[in-house]
Amino acid sequence: MPRPGKSSYSDQKPPYSYISLTAMAIQHSAEKMLPLSDIYKFIMERFPYYREHTQRWQNSLRHNLSFNDCFIKIPRRPDQPGKGSFWALHPDCGDMFENGSFLRRRKRFKVLRPDQLSNMVSSVWPHVGVMDSMASMPVSHEYGPFGVPMKALCHPPGQTMPAVPVPIKPTPALPPVSAISALTVNSSQICPSTLPASSSLLEQTPPTPSEGKSALHSVRSALHSVPVHS
DNA sequence: AAATGTTTACTCTGTA
DNA sequence: TACAGAGTAAACATTT
């Protein structure tokens, strides 16, 4: 029997659903899309809780990627060898966590037919649908993998994701609790090409809906003056 | 073979 | 109380 009230810091399950953890990882990446293995890596680096029972939670996470329409799968180009596809966020995923709780989403997405999804992806990421003819795509910092414009991969202001904790090195001695609860929102990570320098916005992990709401408000305030991308 | 992706089924919990 | 979302397990298919 586990002793009540006697849990180490790594025993504590983070107050995030798999959806928000995955969205956090994708949002934190430079190209706003990640292969499955990198999503695993992101989560394990930041949340020691997920360094154990990997088969269990990774199965759940894969289930979430396939099952939830807020994630879209972007295939690798033939000249980008590797296993699996890249995963990105549905462009409408912005205010999923509007209610301030990262454990429960506010709404589901419209279910799209395959042709609708294809149209949506090619309208948001114009180059994805024509990958076969992208061999001569000019190399530019304006573009992410597959020539997907970085601008298109950025979320408009007001569309916020959970703050991203700093990575925690897997050292034998566990870091203090403050190391993981001190969250920093780096707005340039949300949209590196256009947003201003990072600012530390959150002091604590939002463990409750009301605190989460407050944190979201802070993020929104900071992003308020950022120009809208078209 | 292992990693990745899909689907189904079930339980639990929060919300309207 | 019904419903929707989240978590988990498991079986199976596909890809590298």
Side-chain angles (χ1 to χ4, degrees):
Chain A
M1 283 283 282
R3 285 175 295 177
K6 178 77 178 183
S7 59
S8 76
Y9 134 81
S10 61
D11 293 331
Q12 301 284 340
K13 187 168 188 171
Y16 304 112
S17 65
Y18 289 121
I19 294 178
S20 57
L21 286 169
T22 306
M24 203 188 290
I26 292 170
Q27 271 293 83
H28 189 256
S29 69
E31 288 84 14
K32 309 301 173 197
M33 60 175 75
L34 283 178
L36 183 63
S37 56
D38 284 357
I39 297 173
Y40 292 159
K41 203 184 306 176
F42 176 94
I43 293 171
M44 284 190 288
E45 277 174 359
R46 286 161 178 79
F47 301 100
Y49 176 88
Y50 291 110
R51 289 176 195 157
E52 293 174 358
H53 309 113
T54 52
Q55 289 224 304
R56 182 169 64 184
W57 70 260
Q58 288 178 355
N59 183 25
S60 296
L61 192 140
R62 289 195 303 275
H63 159 78
N64 273 275
L65 283 171
S66 290
F67 185 76
N68 290 289
D69 35 15
C70 57
F71 299 113
I72 53 180
K73 202 173 67 174
I74 298 177
R76 290 174 186 265
R77 258 171 47 191
D79 60 331
Q80 296 265 344
K83 238 183 176 179
S85 307
F86 283 79
W87 290 95
L89 290 169
H90 190 294
D92 288 346
C93 77
D95 55 354
M96 285 197 293
F97 305 101
E98 185 81 37
N99 62 0
S101 170
F102 301 138
L103 283 170
R104 205 172 173 85
R105 283 188 298 170
R106 189 175 66 106
K107 65 183 179 185
R108 285 182 62 80
F109 293 91
K110 283 181 296 189
V111 176
L112 300 177
R113 296 194 312 267
D115 61 309
Q116 291 175 316
L117 180 62
S118 173
N119 287 340
M120 184 277 293
V121 169
S122 56
S123 68
V124 177
W125 299 315
H127 301 80
V128 169
V130 291
M131 284 188 297
D132 289 343
S133 58
M134 283 174 45
S136 59
M137 179 67 66
V139 176
S140 160
H141 70 279
E142 299 273 323
Y143 292 86
F146 323 118
V148 175
M150 295 297 292
K151 224 163 78 170
L153 295 170
C154 295
H155 286 268
Q159 295 191 350
T160 55
M161 294 302 304
V164 180
V166 296
I168 299 162
K169 293 207 174 102
T171 52
L174 289 173
V177 173
S178 58
I180 191 168
S181 62
L183 302 183
T184 298
V185 169
N186 184 339
S187 57
S188 67
Q189 289 164 342
I190 298 173
C191 185
S193 60
T194 55
L195 290 175
S198 65
S199 55
S200 183
L201 298 173
L202 303 180
E203 294 299 319
Q204 298 290 326
T205 302
T208 66
S210 63
E211 285 169 331
K213 201 173 279 184
S214 163
L216 280 174
H217 179 74
S218 301
V219 174
R220 288 220 175 81
S221 302
L223 292 173
H224 185 67
S225 60
V226 176
V228 177
H229 318 98
S230 56

